[in-house]
Each structure stands twice: as structure tokens, then as C-alpha cells.
């Protein structure tokens, strides 16, 4: 069974052009249905280990109410996605001299009622995150289930991106964005293409 068949290569020109023009790009049907199913199953099997993303060192933040699990070697299926993102990062480096060296990633689960308010992933360029990516891995999503990604492009224009299954959104980490409240369980992998190995 072929689990993994990255579609980045054929659409690479489009991705680089989108990033250049507007600072973000959306790709649909990124992987095979088998891969999406496998990564979804891996994510669901780990849900008990997810932790509230808004609580760090005992400090509670109201900005987000989702739950996350950082990805490491113990998640071999998700690692294949991270490997594909590493390769995408090298292509972005060749086009824009961005200095991407590493990928950090976590699963995210938004249960009904959960959201992530307006934020930037790299405010003031301080933390090494160059590009943010989100891969949506719930197996179905309907328009009235909320959970949209709202993103301001590099010209200040707002876009609403539906979290369609098997879709990848990639955007500059300094852009303002939010996740609207989800009405159903919304599953994803958020990954950052970084300029260094250090985790924040
Ligand atoms: C994030 C984020 C967007 C999304 O995890 O920082 O903004 O659509 N995610 O899940
Ligand atoms: Mn974000």
C-alpha cells in the first residue's frame, strides 16, 4: 500500500508564486487517501495524550482553547509529512533565500466550542519561525462546522480558508490570523519551517 505521495512537486511553482504575491498558499488533495487515513488514525489514537495549548508552565492564556501534542519519532506516520515539509522548505530556500533549517510540529485538536483568537506565530520576527503550515486531517468537514482559518495577507487583505480534509495552508509566520470557533472536532498538524533548531 502506498501511503505517501507528496503532491508538492507538481504544484511547487504555484506555491512559490502565491507566497511571493500574497504571503500564503493553499493546496488541496495533498496526499493519497490512504496516507490521510493513516495520519488521521495515528492522531486519533493519541488524543488522550493531548494537552491544553493555552496552559504553559501552569499559566493559563485565554487566547486559545485547543489541545495539542508535539510530534517526535514516536509518530512515524506524521513524520512522513514533516519530511515532505523539510523538502518544501529547501525549495522555498532556493527561491527566496529564507534560511529554513528545521521543522517543528504538533497535532492540534479543536473540540466543539474551541478556537484560537487573532495572533501571529512569529511576532516581531523573534522566534525563528519563517513559514507556518497547517494540514487538516479530519476525514470530513462541512461548511457550517465553523473552524475557518482567517488570514490577513501581506497586502492587508483578509481571506477565509475552510479546513477541508487533506488541505495544506502555508503562510508567512508574521501574518495575523485566527481560527474561528469549531462546532465539530477539528484535527490538524501545525508545523513551522524554522531558521534554527531551537524550540520555544
Ligand atoms: C496555529 C494556527 C491555524 C489553523 O496553530 O498557530 O494558527 O488553521 N493554526 O489551525
Ligand atoms: Mn497560528
Amino acid at each position: 500500500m502506498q501511503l505517501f505521495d507528496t503532491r508538492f512537486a507538481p504544484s511547487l511553482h504555484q506555491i512559490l508564486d502565491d507566497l511571493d504575491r500574497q504571503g500564503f498558499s493553499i493546496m488541496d488533495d495533498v496526499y493519497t487517501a490512504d496516507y490521510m487515513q493513516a495520519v488521521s488514525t495515528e492522531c486519533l489514537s493519541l488524543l488522550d495524550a493531548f494537552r491544553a495549548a493555552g496552559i504553559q508552565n501552569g499559566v493559563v492564556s485565554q487566547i486559545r482553547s485547543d489541545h495539542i501534542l508535539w510530534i517526535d519519532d514516536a509518530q512515524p506516520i506524521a513524520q512522513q509529512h514533516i519530511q515532505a515539509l523539510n523538502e518544501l522548505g529547501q525549495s522555498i530556500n532556493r527561491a527566496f533565500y529564507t534560511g529554513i533549517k528545521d521543522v517543528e510540529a504538533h497535532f492540534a485538536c479543536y473540540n466543539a466550542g474551541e478556537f484560537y483568537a487573532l495572533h501571529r506565530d512569529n511576532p516581531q520576527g523573534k522566534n525563528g519561525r519563517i513559514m507556518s503550515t497547517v494540514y487538516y486531517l479530519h476525514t470530513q468537514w462541512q461548511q457550517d462546522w465553523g473552524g475557518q482559518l482567517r488570514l490577513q495577507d501581506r497586502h492587508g487583505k483578509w481571506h477565509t480558508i475552510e479546513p477541508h480534509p487533506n488541505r495544506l495552508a502555508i503562510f508567512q509566520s508574521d501574518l495575523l490570523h485566527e481560527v474561528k470557533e469549531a462546532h465539530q472536532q477539528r484535527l490538524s498538524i501545525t508545523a513551522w519551517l524554522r531558521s534554527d533548531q531551537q524550540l520555544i
Side-chain angles (χ1 to χ4, degrees), residues 83-101:
Q83 183 51 39
L85 291 177
N86 260 305
E87 288 163 23
L88 179 63
Q90 296 315 303
S91 300
I92 293 173
N93 281 347
R94 282 191 287 275
F96 304 120
Y97 306 100
T98 23
I100 292 164
K101 294 199 184 74

Side-chain angles (χ1 to χ4, degrees), residues 66-83:
D66 60 316
H67 292 73
I68 63 168
L69 179 73
W70 288 95
I71 293 169
D72 59 27
D73 293 344
Q75 292 90 37
I77 313 284
Q79 280 298 334
Q80 297 181 56
H81 170 56
I82 291 173
Q83 183 51 39

Side-chain angles (χ1 to χ4, degrees), residues 53-143:
I55 303 178
Q56 269 178 24
N57 305 322
V59 180
V60 182
S61 153
Q62 304 298 334
I63 190 180
R64 66 191 295 185
S65 50
D66 60 316
H67 292 73
I68 63 168
L69 179 73
W70 288 95
I71 293 169
D72 59 27
D73 293 344
Q75 292 90 37
I77 313 284
Q79 280 298 334
Q80 297 181 56
H81 170 56
I82 291 173
Q83 183 51 39
L85 291 177
N86 260 305
E87 288 163 23
L88 179 63
Q90 296 315 303
S91 300
I92 293 173
N93 281 347
R94 282 191 287 275
F96 304 120
Y97 306 100
T98 23
I100 292 164
K101 294 199 184 74
D102 197 18
V103 177
E104 62 170 329
H106 63 56
F107 288 111
C109 173
Y110 292 73
N111 288 311
E114 297 180 351
F115 64 90
Y116 193 162
L118 277 180
H119 68 281
R120 298 176 207 271
D121 293 346
N122 189 357
Q124 288 114 38
K126 279 192 188 141
N127 65 23
R129 291 172 172 172
I130 295 175
M131 292 286 169
S132 301
T133 71
V134 191
Y135 175 66
Y136 301 107
L137 50 86
H138 33 253
T139 47
Q140 60 160 325
W141 197 260
Q142 293 175 15
Q143 194 122 24

